[in-house]
Amino acid sequence: MSFASGRHFLQIPGPTNVPDQVLRAMSAPTIDHRGPQFAAMVPPLLEALKPVFGTAGDVVLYPSSGTGAWEAALVNTLSAGDRVLCFETGHFATLWQRMARDLGLEVDFVPGDWRHAVDPADVSARLTPQTKAVLVVHNETSTGVTSDIAAVRRAMGDHPALLMVDTVSSLGSIDYRHDEWGVDVTVSCSQKGLMLPPGLGLNAVSAKALAASARLPRSYWAWQPIIEANKRGAFPYTPPTNLLYGLREALRMLHCEGLPQVYARHARHAAATRAAVQGWGLELLCLDPEAYSNTLTAILMPEGHDADRLREVILDRFDMSLGAGLGKVAGKVFRIGHLGHFNDLSLAGTLSGVQMGLQIAGVPVKDGVSVALSVLAEA
């Protein structure tokens, strides 16, 4: 087994790098989750989460992945046979609608080419009197495409359908406003912008969603028992205590930097990454400049070159992990994650490793790193 000095560069779009402060917080001794110390921790923790979602309402937390939070959003609000409207913006939008079908919902799935955001005009055109919910992925992790949720809500007009939004790769990294935009259920998880290991699924829930008439089976995922227990500083199940320690520290870091500054930092790093791609002479998967993601960049490989082979070269030579192409862009796309605990030097090192890997793999590229450094130097 070969030895690699220095730290591993984890530049996938999640799980992201966990800050040392968060790791130290998680290493604290586990306490009694039915004791007074734990009960005192829970309400302030949930309150600190609310500004990240942009909500004054309830936030529900599960020991789960984001996939669990998807399911919770559906089973707490809908009944078998209900019709939902979904949009094919990428791999994860496709998986969410598949889950909806598996749960017995009727899905109107609007096809897409994975290179464009949700078109608000499509939303208004596709709504029917039978539509009970609209499901949208805010930031599609597989493609680097960000949809305009406020525009989607406006396109829905006064239609009574619930609006459900996946923010798995945007929460805590891209400006998001659950209440202001009229979102009913926001879905997220811990291992991306919140800078934690995987293991926490999250729902932000509107009063309208809480009041929805839902007959899909649920027990573990039921919101109301969790919300009631949280008022006492408890959970109706054994909570992931040490992940909650880490979440408390991660939220402290986000609020210390300031959420507007966090969002501006991500936008700046994304702009520098796109400048590097342009400098290399490569093509972004996303074709809508107004929909470019601020948390990841998906890059198309030139004809005759394999993205997975490039990722192997970069991992072997530079101990850096890049995101793979998923679903129908597998082998055609590689993804650079630039979110969470990340700074200018981290980005400079990442882009340098990508450029060297492209050159070693025989991909004809120019110098994109210098272009990106110029962008970073301007700020």
Side-chain angles (χ1 to χ4, degrees), residues 51-52 172-173 250-266:
V52 183
S173 306
L251 292 170
R252 187 197 67 78
M253 294 173 66
L254 287 173
H255 292 310
C256 183
E257 183 176 356
L259 290 174
Q261 289 73 30
V262 171
Y263 303 147
R265 169 168 56 83
H266 282 80

Side-chain angles (χ1 to χ4, degrees), residues 48-312:
L49 256 178
K50 291 180 180 181
V52 183
F53 282 95
T55 187
D58 290 304
V59 175
V60 181
L61 183 153
Y62 302 93
S64 80
S65 65
T67 304
W70 272 351
E71 183 162 336
L74 298 173
V75 299
N76 280 284
T77 57
L78 298 167
S79 302
D82 280 352
R83 186 166 294 279
V84 299
L85 178 61
C86 307
F87 298 84
E88 188 190 6
T89 52
H91 183 68
F92 293 99
T94 302
L95 291 179
W96 199 10
Q97 69 85 29
R98 186 179 301 163
M99 173 186 282
R101 291 182 192 276
D102 290 345
L103 289 170
L105 301 172
E106 297 295 325
V107 178
D108 294 322
F109 193 40
V110 181
D113 63 1
W114 294 31
R115 305 193 72 179
H116 295 87
V118 174
D119 183 349
D122 261 353
V123 177
S124 56
R126 302 275 186 160
L127 281 169
T128 72
Q130 291 74 40
T131 305
K132 297 293 186 181
V134 177
L135 278 56
V136 177
V137 174
H138 181 215
N139 188 77
E140 177 53 72
T141 316
S142 65
T143 63
V145 175
T146 304
S147 291
D148 186 339
I149 301 304
V152 168
R153 177 73 262 184
R154 288 193 298 271
M156 292 174 65
D158 59 0
H159 195 287
L162 297 167
L163 175 58
M164 303 188 193
V165 180
D166 172 330
T167 65
V168 164
S169 62
S170 58
L171 191 76
S173 306
I174 299 173
D175 188 21
Y176 185 77
R177 308 180 186 192
H178 175 94
D179 289 354
E180 182 180 327
W181 294 344
V183 180
D184 293 297
V185 187
T186 297
V187 172
S188 202
C189 63
S190 56
Q191 73 268 22
K192 297 183 189 275
L194 293 180
M195 305 180 291
L196 291 163
L200 295 179
L202 305 166
N203 284 162
V205 185
S206 74
K208 179 180 173 182
L210 282 171
S213 176
R215 293 187 299 277
L216 283 174
R218 60 194 179 278
S219 175
Y220 179 82
W221 302 116
W223 285 334
Q224 290 290 0
I226 303 172
I227 292 170
E228 289 305 311
N230 285 168
K231 293 175 182 177
R232 307 187 304 274
F235 286 86
Y237 45 73
T238 304
T241 306
N242 290 61
L243 275 174
L244 297 184
Y245 293 159
L247 177 60
R248 181 172 59 181
E249 179 60 22
L251 292 170
R252 187 197 67 78
M253 294 173 66
L254 287 173
H255 292 310
C256 183
E257 183 176 356
L259 290 174
Q261 289 73 30
V262 171
Y263 303 147
R265 169 168 56 83
H266 282 80
R268 181 168 165 270
H269 288 153
T273 304
R274 291 191 294 269
V277 175
Q278 184 177 23
W280 291 327
L282 299 180
E283 183 181 358
L284 296 170
L285 182 61
C286 180
L287 291 176
D288 300 332
E290 67 276 12
Y292 289 155
S293 170
N294 284 343
T295 60
L296 70 125
T297 300
I299 303 158
L300 280 166
M301 287 292 280
E303 195 68 33
H305 296 275
D306 183 81
D308 290 337
R309 174 58 185 152
L310 172 68
R311 292 174 54 251
E312 291 172 4

